[in-house]
Amino acid sequence: MTQPIRVGFALTGSFCTFARALTAINDLVARGFDVTSILSENAGAFDTRFGTAKEWRTRLTEATGKPIIDSIVTAEPIGPKAMFDALIVAPCTGNTLAKLAHGVTDTPVTMAVKSHLRGARPVLLAVSTNDALSGSAANIGTLLNRKHFYFVPLRQDAPTAKPCSLVADMVQIPATLEAALHGYQLQPLLLAPNEG
Ligand SMILES: Cc1cc2nc3c(=O)[nH]c(=O)nc-3n(C[C@H](O)[C@H](O)[C@H](O)COP(=O)(O)O)c2cc1C
């Protein structure tokens, strides 16, 4: 019997996309992936209009059947123990993009990525930030050019109302993962914009 593919699924503080991330986790579990969730400190602590931290923690634990990695200390063994075949950061905030682009490791998620990359395994980013085409653009460009990083295809979600915003299409996470595990970037990377 073949072993299931082990995936770390890290959520950062783009709370409006948490429901879509949970759907993606459920989808991966249904497809037979072994999924462990990871939370940035902010993602795991803030109560927002999209739900309380406690509610999201319960949903994630139920979806994966595993404890959440939610500290730098519990994220540290990811690389040394080769815990995951791939690591997905979905949603990935502008804040986390900046840290990843500049080698800053001060959250459970940035620690997870750094530790996982020790083994030269794929990292997927599902960007969700209002400043993707302004303040975060240079960081996205940096990571597009960095080895082992793959992007979940993304689009302008509201080009008129939020001209600098980009959001990944999380429905494409399984296809992006499949491609990344074979060493290539799923295309097209840029999707047609939403209306509005
Ligand atoms: C309700 C709410 C929604 C947010 N949505 C986003 C978002 O979609 N994208 C983003 O980059 N930051 C968003 N933020 C800001 C981040 O949560 C903030 O930058 C935080 O420091 C991110 O930390 P992390 O990247 O370690 O999770 C939001 C904050 C709140 C309170």
Side-chain angles (χ1 to χ4, degrees):
M1 205 178 80
T2 52
Q3 295 295 320
I5 294 171
R6 301 155 310 151
V7 173
F9 198 111
L11 293 88
T12 64
S14 170
F15 300 91
C16 56
T17 56
F18 270 24
R20 277 173 264 168
L22 184 65
T23 301
I25 290 173
N26 285 326
D27 188 4
L28 291 174
V29 170
R31 289 168 190 249
F33 290 90
D34 178 12
V35 182
T36 302
S37 59
I38 303 163
L39 282 170
S40 72
E41 261 151 37
N42 294 336
F46 291 175
D47 297 334
T48 74
R49 62 197 163 94
F50 302 102
T52 66
K54 192 169 175 220
E55 284 163 357
W56 283 113
R57 283 173 176 275
T58 303
R59 287 179 192 134
L60 290 171
T61 309
E62 283 174 0
T64 62
K66 295 204 192 68
I68 299 167
I69 294 175
D70 62 356
S71 70
I72 291 177
V73 172
T74 52
E76 182 276 332
I78 288 172
K81 293 192 176 172
M83 285 169 63
F84 304 130
D85 300 298
L87 181 60
I88 304 171
V89 185
C92 185
T93 59
N95 180 60
T96 293
L97 281 171
K99 291 180 180 188
L100 293 176
H102 291 90
V104 177
T105 309
D106 64 354
T107 73
V109 173
T110 51
M111 181 72 221
V113 172
K114 177 177 175 162
S115 187
H116 175 76
L117 281 172
R118 168 184 143 135
R121 291 169 180 213
V123 175
L124 277 62
L125 303 179
V127 171
S128 173
T129 185
N130 287 336
D131 69 351
L133 295 175
S134 53
S136 288
N139 298 326
I140 292 171
T142 296
L143 293 166
L144 280 169
N145 274 310
R146 191 166 299 165
K147 210 170 169 184
H148 307 303
F149 280 88
Y150 300 86
F151 280 67
V152 179
L154 68 180
R155 61 162 52 88
Q156 285 187 280
D157 52 317
T160 307
K162 299 192 292 175
C164 296
S165 180
L166 292 179
V167 175
D169 178 11
M170 291 201 203
V171 171
Q172 297 200 42
I173 284 177
T176 312
L177 175 59
E178 209 61 53
L181 287 167
H182 289 94
Y184 65 91
Q185 168 66 53
L186 183 68
Q187 297 291 348
L189 176 61
L190 286 179
L191 305 172
N194 286 343
E195 301 279 321

